[in-house]
Structure formats: C-alpha cells, structure tokens
C-alpha cells in the first residue's frame, strides 16, 4: 500500500509543528522547508485545521500551531482521514473484475488494510517526534543559516 501524497504531507506538517516550540511558521515557510508546492500544502493545512489538529492564523504574527488535539492525534486516524475508506483495489471500476462475485482476494485485502490502520491507531504525533526524531526534525526545519 502506498500513501497518497496529501497523507504524507499531513503527517510531515504535524511532525514539523510538533517540534516548532514557541514558533509559528507560516504555510509558505513549511512548504518551502519541505520543498513542496504552496498550493498543495495549503489544501492539506486547511484539512488539518478543519480536523482541529492545527490552528492557522493569518496576518502579522500569524502562522501555524499544533493544537493539543493535534499533538495527541492518532496517526491511524489521520491516515484514515486522508486516505478515505476505499478499497485497496478498484474491483468495480470502469472494467469490473470478472471474479468480483466470487473473489476472496478483495476481503483479504480489506482485512490487511484494516490491520495496517489498526497498527497505526495507538501511535500518536507525539510518539513519532520523540527522540531521536525530534532533534533531527529541528535541524531540518531550521535549514541552512544565513550566509550558507
């Protein structure tokens, strides 16, 4: 299973904000630091804000901050929210699978998908930024200093 790009970005934004300390980077700062298009990241940030996992303030002194709910959010819940509840394979697509009525693979894949999500459910955003990851994230987040 491969995560959608938006799921990957959502998790990385949450991780980045979890180690931000007192700073509130802007969406543009985070996009630049992650080397992703601003417009794509802005959509992800809007969804995370809608979920209550971060706050986004506009204007002078604005920026992104992780909420307490975001800090303790289940990685499994975040992945589910961004990935949706669709099947791993599209058995009913434009050319439906001829095995659809008697296929046992679809159920096995659905169980595997749920096991994947279930294994991420007890993991929180705080867990995935614990040392040594947090220190590494801080170094990446700062980027090269002035004059570098």
């Amino acid at each position: 299973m491969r995560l959608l790009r938006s799921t990957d970005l959502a998790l990385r934004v949450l991780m980045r904000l979890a180690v931000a300390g007192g700073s509130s980077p802007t969406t543009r700062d985070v996009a630049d630091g992650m080397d992703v298009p601003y417009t794509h990241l802005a959509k992800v940030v809007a969804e995370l804000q809608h979920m209550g996992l971060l706050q986004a303030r506009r204007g002078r002194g604005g920026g992104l901050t992780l909420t307490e709910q975001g800090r303790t959010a289940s990685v499994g819940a975040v992945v589910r929210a961004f990935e949706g509840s669709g099947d791993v394979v599209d058995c009913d697509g434009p050319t439906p699978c001829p095995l659809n009525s008697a296929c046992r693979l679809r159920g096995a894949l659905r169980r595997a998908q749920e096991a994947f999500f279930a294994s991420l459910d007890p993991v929180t955003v705080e867990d995935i930024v614990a040392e040594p990851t947090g220190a590494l994230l801080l170094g990446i987040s700062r980027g090269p200093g002035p004059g570098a």
Side-chain angles (χ1 to χ4, degrees):
M1 183 171 157
R2 184 177 187 103
L3 296 179
L4 297 171
R5 178 81 168 136
S6 57
T7 307
D8 173 46
L9 291 176
L11 292 170
R12 292 196 293 147
V13 165
L14 293 173
M15 291 172 72
R16 165 66 175 85
L17 295 177
V19 298
S23 70
S24 295
T26 65
T27 302
R28 183 149 325 265
D29 292 338
V30 176
D32 290 346
M34 293 169 66
D35 197 25
V36 298
Y38 169 80
T39 53
H40 192 70
L41 192 71
K43 291 176 188 175
V44 170
V45 164
E47 182 60 27
L48 290 170
Q49 184 178 13
H50 177 73
M51 294 169 65
L53 304 181
L54 61 81
Q55 290 179 341
R57 290 181 318 282
R58 292 179 175 254
R60 189 175 185 95
L64 305 174
T65 54
L66 193 63
T67 64
E68 186 56 34
Q69 183 181 347
R71 189 168 302 287
T72 60
S74 160
V75 172
V78 173
V79 172
R80 271 190 193 88
F82 277 86
E83 293 292 315
S85 59
D87 288 328
V88 175
V89 293
D90 187 9
C91 302
D92 301 319
T95 309
C97 178
L99 299 175
N100 207 0
S101 65
C103 182
R104 299 178 88 176
L105 178 60
R106 188 178 197 172
L109 290 173
R110 188 173 294 124
R111 287 187 300 277
Q113 182 181 24
E114 271 309 307
F116 171 75
F117 289 139
S119 70
L120 294 175
D121 284 341
V123 181
T124 67
V125 171
E126 281 183 327
D127 294 335
I128 60 176
V129 297
E131 294 305 323
T133 306
L136 181 60
L137 273 168
L138 280 173
I140 293 170
S141 299
R142 288 188 189 115

